[in-house]
Amino acid sequence: MTTTDYDLVIIGAGPAGLTAGIYAARARMNVLLLEKTVPGGQILVTDWIENYSGFPEGISGFDLAEKMKTQAEEMGLKIETAEVHSLDLSEKSKKIVLKNKSITAKSLIIASGASPRKLGIGEDKFMGKGISFCATCDAPFFKDKTVVAIGGGDTAVQEAIFLTKFAKKVFLIHRRDELRATKILQERAFANDKIEIIWDSIATGVEGFFGVEGVKVKNLKTHEEKTIKADGCFIWVGILPNASFLNDSVKTDEFGFILVDEKMQTSAPGVFAAGDVRVTPLRQISTAVGDAAIAAVSAEHFIENL
Ligand code: NAP
């Protein structure tokens, strides 16, 4: 059989990648986990997590990420900081192309997660100057100020509530007349005096010179347009897959999320996907770690049968 550098390479060190790493290390596989920034993934920018079982008081995203990483490393998982540029899956031995080298593996788990979607309303111009995707990182800059939050999902509502710990007023702009977020979060937002929801509306632009001074808003029902004076604008309108390195090497849906079967097997034999990067009806830490356990055991079986 062809020799490879590793039995298994895992791409991405969020909850899915770290959990797959724990299973693979415990199975005594020769496994490497690649992460382009720091381990933790999206939970690093999540203020407080209270729907992950086992933490009745809740836990900060940072602490949970740290615990997952410590557990994986103590199990023997090797984590390397490196960005994957592309994959070559044409041979039995899978080639992972990094910046200065390529490595090979018998099997792969793609757990590269997802990133915030942009609206094209000035994110590049005002990033770090009032526009943000991360309340945990930037909310303290808006103490006693007015901010706009855009979106109606779990992220937007949860983070808008978090923003009220600092800001004196939070306008939540949502394009429909009903929030998508889970009911308990909706109840908390409705009960929060600092949150005012602007229904049926979209943000069409951001005004400001050195930084954000206002957000232009259009009502989709009345077509009325106005500018909300605000010092900051947080955008939480969903996520896109971190999958540019795939280059059609595995099948995805129209948005680029990876298609898998019930064993987390992608369209390429021996290549599995787990967590937010895959097509899934629910993107939670619990579902990501569940995917990861299945993917790691599937990878182990795949290698045993080679
Ligand atoms: P999401 O559930 O996809 O919600 C995106 C929101 O942005 C929706 O309300 C959507 O409006 C709105 N939107 C999308 N495109 C827009 C556009 N072009 N202009 C204006 N609004 C737009 O995304 P998410 O809130 O980031 O959550 C992602 C996943 O993580 C979800 O599965 C969520 O449950 C999970 N999550 C869970 C928790 C938790 O359990 N505490 C916390 C955070 C995230 P429509 O509603 O009209 O489509």
Side-chain angles (χ1 to χ4, degrees):
M1 214 192 89
T2 344
T3 55
T4 56
D5 300 319
Y6 296 94
D7 292 331
L8 173 67
V9 165
I10 302 168
I11 302 172
L18 289 169
T19 303
I22 290 169
Y23 275 76
R26 280 172 56 83
R28 300 286 180 249
M29 292 162 93
N30 174 18
V31 52
L32 175 71
L33 190 156
L34 298 169
E35 165 57 49
K36 73 170 176 181
T37 55
V38 284
Q42 288 184 97
I43 61 168
L44 281 180
V45 295
T46 305
D47 164 50
W48 197 248
I49 293 156
E50 53 184 40
N51 58 0
Y52 188 57
S53 187
F55 298 93
E57 285 89 33
I59 182 167
S60 76
F62 183 87
D63 285 347
L64 183 59
E66 201 53 36
K67 281 182 189 291
M68 287 179 166
K69 176 177 166 266
T70 304
Q71 188 178 354
E73 285 180 330
E74 281 177 1
M75 228 46 101
L77 179 69
K78 195 174 150 211
I79 303 177
E80 200 173 296
T81 310
E83 182 169 1
V84 175
H85 280 255
S86 60
L87 301 177
D88 181 351
L89 306 180
S90 56
E91 308 281 329
K92 232 176 167 181
S93 153
K94 288 127 188 53
K95 192 160 142 192
I96 302 109
V97 182
L98 310 176
K99 194 175 175 194
N100 297 319
K101 62 174 179 180
S102 291
I103 54 175
T104 54
K106 292 174 187 155
S107 184
L108 265 183
I109 295 177
I110 303 167
S112 46
S115 303
R117 178 189 278 139
K118 293 183 179 178
L119 285 174
I121 55 167
E123 285 96 334
D124 293 339
K125 182 176 169 197
F126 289 107
M127 198 57 206
K129 294 175 189 156
I131 285 191
S132 171
F133 298 93
C134 175
T136 314
C137 324
D138 298 325
F141 296 123
F142 298 95
K143 193 160 168 27
D144 298 325
K145 298 197 168 171
T146 298
V147 295
V148 160
I150 307 170
D154 282 333
T155 307
V157 176
Q158 180 169 349
E159 301 302 297
I161 295 166
F162 176 71
L163 280 172
T164 62
K165 290 185 184 171
F166 301 88
K168 67 174 182 212
K169 176 90 185 172
V170 178
F171 289 98
L172 180 64
I173 299 171
H174 181 43
R175 63 181 176 182
R176 291 187 293 132
D177 58 5
E178 183 183 24
L179 295 172
R180 178 182 292 277
T182 190
K183 288 287 181 288
I184 190 169
L185 292 175
Q186 294 194 25
E187 287 161 16
R188 287 179 194 168
F190 296 150
N192 191 314
D193 290 341
K194 288 186 173 179
I195 296 179
E196 180 175 335
I197 305 180
I198 314 277
W199 300 103
D200 302 311
S201 299
I202 54 165
T204 55
V206 170
E207 292 177 352
F209 194 64
F210 294 113
V212 172
E213 290 168 17
V215 178
K216 287 197 273 184
V217 177
K218 182 178 176 185
N219 185 301
L220 295 173
K221 285 190 174 154
T222 63
H223 304 290
E224 185 202 339
E225 294 192 61
K226 63 178 179 184
T227 297
I228 297 175
K229 287 188 87 167
D231 308 287
C233 175
F234 288 79
I235 302 171
W236 292 300
V237 291
I239 52 173
L240 294 172
N242 298 328
S244 56
F245 59 88
L246 288 178
N247 280 328
D248 297 330
S249 51
V250 296
K251 282 195 181 137
T252 65
D253 71 2
E254 61 199 297
F255 307 108
F257 290 100
I258 300 172
L259 289 157
V260 292
D261 66 12
E262 74 281 2
K263 291 183 176 165
M264 302 300 141
Q265 164 77 59
T266 70
S267 57
V271 180
F272 304 86
D276 284 3
V277 74
R278 81 167 179 102
V279 175
T280 169
L282 187 62
R283 293 193 166 83
Q284 300 277 299
I285 303 166
S286 318
T287 51
V289 303
D291 285 0
I294 295 171
V297 173
S298 300
E300 192 187 346
H301 290 168
F302 174 82
I303 293 166
E304 277 165 10
N305 291 322
L306 276 177

